[in-house]
Every structure is written in C-alpha cells, then in structure tokens.
Amino acid sequence: MENKKSSFTGLIPLLIFVIIYLGTGIFLQSQGVEMAFYQLPSPVAIFVGIIVAFIMFKGTINEKFNSFLEGCGHQDIITMCIIYLLAGAFATVSKAMGGVDATVNFGLTYIPAHYIAAGLFIIAAFISTATGASVGSIVAITPIAVGLAEKSGVPMPLILAAVMGGSMFGDNLSVISDTTIAATKTQGVEMRDKFRVNLYIAAPAAIVTVILLLLFGRPESIPDVEVLSYNFLKVLPYIAVLVLAIVGINVFVVLTSGIILSGVIGFIYGDFTFLTFSKEIYNGFMGMNEIFLLSLLTGGLATMTTKAGGVQWLIEQIQKFIIGPKTAKVGVGFLVAVTDMAVANNTVAIIINGSIAKKICEKYDVDLRESAAILDIFSCIFQGLIPYGAQMLILLGFTAGAVSPLDVIPLLWYQGLLFIFTLVFIALSINDKIINRLDRKKNK
C-alpha cells in the first residue's frame, strides 16, 4: 500500500542538503572564488543529509539502512546510472577522435558569414544535441564566436547569447543529456516520447530565435572566416546516435553503438590504439562519477524521505495552489526552476524533484511524458539564465571580464521564448493533443 504519512520532519534531511550546497556556493561566491557553486561536490553535500536522516528518522539502524538501499537499488536509479556511464563514454570517445572539432568546422564552413549570430546558434544547438552537453558546446564554440564578434561588429553580448541559447537547446533536447536521462527515468517514460513532446515546444522557440538573430545580428562588416578543415565521417557518430534514439532503439544499444562507431573511426584515422580507446571509455565513465554517485545517494535519501512522510507533506503544500492539470504542470515547472536557482545544477534539480513531480502528475492525470518534458525545459531555461551557473561563468570567462551577465541575460531570447511557448502550450492544452496524436500513430 502506498505510504500516505505526511510530516515536514521527513523533508528536513533533503532541505539540509540543499542548504549546505546553496550556502557553500553563496559563501564562496562572496569570497570571490571562481565557479563557487561547483566547489563542493554534490555527493558530499547529500551525504550530510543522509547522515541527518539516519539520526532523525524512527526505526532501527538496519531498518533505515534497508530503506536507503531500497532507494539506491531501485531499477530506475540503476538504469539512470548506467546510462550516465555510457553517455559519458560516448561523449569522451567521440571528442577524443575529433568529432567535436569536425562538427564545429563543418558548421562554420557552410554557414554564410552574413548570418554569424544565427549560424552560431544553430551550430551550438547541433553540438549540444549531439553531445548532450551545454558546457561542452560553449567551450568548443565560444572562443571562435568571440573572435567573429570582434571582427564583424555584431555586439558581443548578442553573439554570446546566441551561443548560450543554442547550447541550452541541445541540453534540453539531447537524448544523451544528463537532464534528459534524469527527467525520463524519474518519470518512467521513453526518451523518444519525451523528445517528441519536448520538440514541439522547443522547435517554435528556436525558429523564432533564429529569425530574430537574422534580423538583429547582421554584421557591420563581413569577417574573413578561415577555411577550416573537417572530416564528415567524424560527425557521423553524433548523427547516428540522434537518429537511432529518435527511431526508438533501446538507449543502451544506441549509446554502445555510438561508442563502437566512434572507436572504429578513431582506429581508421589513427586517433586510437586499443589501449587509448579503452582509456577514453574509462575517462568517460569517470567524468560521470559525480552525477552517478549523486543519483545513487539521492535515490536512497528519497526513499527514506518518502517513508518518513516528507514527500507527501510537500505534495500537500503544493496541492493548495493546484486546481487542475494545468496548474499542476506549472507547479512542477516552478518547483524544478526554484530548485535549479538554488543549487545551480539542472540535473540535480531534476533528480531532487523527479519523484515529487511524478506523484503530483499522477494525482492530477498529467501524462508523464509531458511532465518529463516540463522538468527538463524549466530546469534548462533557468540554468541558462542564472549568473552563477557553470554555463554563464564559462561563457563570460572567454571575454576576460569585458562582458557581464547583465549584458547577456536580456538577450537570451531563446530561453525567454521557450518559457513563453511552454506556458502557452500548457494553457491551451496543446501537449495533450500532441500526445493523443502520437498515441494514435503508435496504435495504427
């Protein structure tokens, strides 16, 4: 029988995790520490919350430990963790064999210099969608974007906003993004289904953004874009993974195929030996170490919190503001947005709120494919807006202090449009119609 116990006390360990994580970031930020919100490893912060849960909650140590292990070993949690490892391996192997450089050079070769701002948005969108990493896209593209802005006369903040918007587009939509993995697994839905629901909202926002960048991002002078070499074969693994995932192939097969394809291409061009290939796979695993541990530990703490009544208490408070499915959707979006602004990590925000969002949506008959999309959308919108997020800090780091967050934030048209389109889709129940259409196609 489902646990209906309700107690604010059950929520305290989770709040302690958020307070420690947020408080440390604020303190370090006040001390002028770079990347302040990323200095304290999140698994350590949540470990403190777990210790508090063991001290506070009723029952024997063995009972509490069994509850903790039950959460850590939940099928969705383990599945999520394995996908993280494979996604990390694919991204690392593909980058090591030159995939990212080839993709950037390919894009810059075929996008006319007249359309620099819009072109950078599109390139950033493709790379982040292909690699599942907004930060990786920003790191790869921004140095080139800064140089093009200086030569063309297009305002630097607008160019940076275009890169940020494109990067967050892919972070939100990519089938191998950690946010997508977290959103789909916490809601128990297929990545392909979430992608399709999400795309109907994100595509119009992206199209309008490109139009605006074409209108307002025209260069005063046409910069000489260096002829860049690229090997299209090295772009293929990204395309293959994207297509296979959308078609509906099992995600483990998709990612494993991507790793093997990137490895074969690396062998062909001498980028890998057997040992270097295996080391890059392991480096990819290790790159997901923090989010792997956080997901595992959060799963354990979430189960303890649920049994202690904390999740039920929070749901009851949120329900006071919910009058139906539409407000339930907005409530889920607001919840993950506030959490993201607190912890400055969109994946962490989704993991924290995933089980809560699922319970709310089930109660108000909201399709879980839509709740997965909403979780991902709202977390990515605000992650790309906050001045202390990794994406903004890294983006502005390439300008050597010449551009401030306040210069860029008003020009983040994509995030603003995505927010508006999401609310419109919710208000007009457009997503419900889209999901019904998808279901009819499946049943044919």
Side-chain angles (χ1 to χ4, degrees), residues 320-363:
K320 295 176 181 177
F321 304 95
I322 295 176
I323 55 176
K326 292 180 181 180
T327 50
K329 298 172 189 178
V330 175
V332 166
F334 177 76
L335 195 61
V336 75
V338 170
T339 307
D340 181 75
M341 289 188 285
V343 301
N345 188 309
N346 45 350
T347 308
V348 174
I350 292 172
I351 292 171
I352 290 173
N353 291 292
S355 60
I356 299 168
K358 186 176 183 181
K359 289 180 182 295
I360 292 173
C361 290
E362 287 175 339
K363 180 176 178 62

Side-chain angles (χ1 to χ4, degrees), residues 213-235:
L213 290 172
L214 288 173
L215 292 174
F216 298 102
R218 289 184 174 275
E220 296 176 1
S221 59
I222 305 302
D224 295 323
V225 179
E226 182 182 352
V227 178
L228 302 168
S229 62
Y230 68 90
N231 186 330
F232 185 73
L233 194 61
K234 294 189 175 185
V235 183

